[in-house]
């Protein structure tokens, strides 16, 4: 028979858990709101610069990483967190689908940014091989870690009828390795974009082009590296109830920042009289830059493809 102290202890544990679920929900909603807001304010640029362009590998990547958050960071997130009728079986299915889609979405965003880095290294075969190995190791390791984590999740029936979301009773901390892997990968890519960036600035030339290709790329990776580092700290130091508090935020930021990188580069190309591109990565800039900065142009491996829009 439970004593008064046992009942009070159980009630406190339940109260703490409900408060943690509410806080995680707030962060999930914040991430989704941030994504939806950015989508709405950049939709005009996307329609003008992407929708009407011809279909390429990069365009397919753009749409995949751009629109996948509507599923994992918005629909599945809210279903998992806010439903009052979802059962433990459905909870596990939703959480597994959400976890896989999030890793896939982050991987697609990282692939886009990695292709940017490969472009500024003159599409070197050696650099391409190194980047391919690093990317495949990072992605495969993340899926393996996610598999272990998602298998460790245990759900039970709701403690009371109006409880919103899923009631989780067990989760492995191994998930922090995902953020360690991402942090290491982002640090490596950051170094690889800084090196040619320093060389490009020494050559001088169009500062607007340098800003779009190098400075913005560096800033994006600093943001992502910082957030991955915070995720590692949170996953290790805070109670298990807060393991996923920043997942949606980082997931949405990957999509937002990657989309901004592509849109800004295409906007730069649209302002030019002549569009230049490097093929698969579709970096654009105008003919005057080629004429005044031949060494810089050769570094990026750019070649004129057509006259007109992006």
């Amino acid at each position: 028979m439970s004593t008064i102290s046992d009942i009070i202890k159980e009630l406190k544990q339940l109260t703490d858990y409900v408060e943690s679920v509410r806080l995680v929900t707030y962060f999930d909603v914040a991430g989704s709101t941030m994504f939806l807001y950015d989508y709405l304010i950049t939709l005009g640029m996307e329609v003008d610069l992407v929708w009407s362009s011809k279909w390429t590998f990069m365009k397919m990547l753009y749409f995949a990483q751009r629109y996948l958050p509507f599923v994992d960071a918005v629909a599945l997130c809210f279903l998992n967190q806010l439903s009052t009728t979802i059962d433990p079986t459905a909870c596990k299915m939703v959480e597994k689908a959400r976890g896989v889609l999030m890793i896939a979405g982050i991987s697609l965003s990282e692939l886009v940014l990695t292709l940017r880095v490969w472009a500024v290294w003159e599409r070197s075969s050696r650099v391409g091989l190194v980047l391919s190995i690093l990317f495949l190791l990072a992605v495969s390791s993340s899926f393996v870690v996610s598999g272990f984590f998602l298998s460790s999740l245990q759900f039970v029936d709701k403690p009371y009828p109006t409880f919103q979301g899923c009631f989780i009773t067990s989760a492995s901390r191994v998930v922090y390795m995902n953020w360690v892997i991402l942090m290491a990968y982002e640090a490596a890519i950051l170094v690889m974009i800084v090196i040619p960036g320093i060389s490009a600035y020494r050559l001088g030339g169009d500062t607007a082009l340098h800003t779009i290709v190098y400075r913005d790329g560096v800033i994006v990776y600093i943001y992502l590296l910082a957030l991955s580092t915070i995720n590692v700290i949170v996953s290790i130091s805070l109670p298990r109830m807060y393991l996923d508090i920043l997942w949606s935020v980082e997931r949405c930021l990957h999509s937002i920042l990657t989309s901004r990188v592509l849109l800004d580069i295409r906007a730069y190309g649209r302002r030019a009289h002549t569009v230049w591109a490097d093929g698969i990565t579709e970096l654009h800039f105008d003919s005057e830059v080629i004429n005044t900065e031949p060494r810089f142009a050769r570094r990026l491996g750019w070649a004129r493809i057509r006259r007109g829009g992006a």
Side-chain angles (χ1 to χ4, degrees), residues 24-71:
V24 171
T25 301
Y26 289 159
F27 274 87
D28 286 344
V29 172
S32 301
T33 302
M34 178 174 58
F35 169 75
L36 292 173
Y37 174 75
D38 182 79
Y39 175 78
L40 291 175
I41 64 175
T42 58
L43 181 58
M45 288 181 65
E46 180 180 306
V47 171
D48 183 44
L49 300 171
V50 181
W51 286 17
S52 60
S53 65
K54 66 178 181 180
W55 281 96
T56 63
F57 177 68
M58 184 59 72
K59 183 174 178 177
M60 290 187 288
L61 272 183
Y62 173 86
F63 279 124
Q65 68 85 35
R66 173 73 156 170
Y67 285 91
L68 202 54
F70 280 105
V71 180

Side-chain angles (χ1 to χ4, degrees), residues 266 269-276 284 304-310:
R266 287 205 166 199
R270 177 61 62 85
R271 292 195 300 268
H273 297 294
T274 304
V275 177
W276 297 77
H284 302 271
R304 186 168 62 182
I305 55 173
R306 64 188 173 90
R307 189 171 183 83

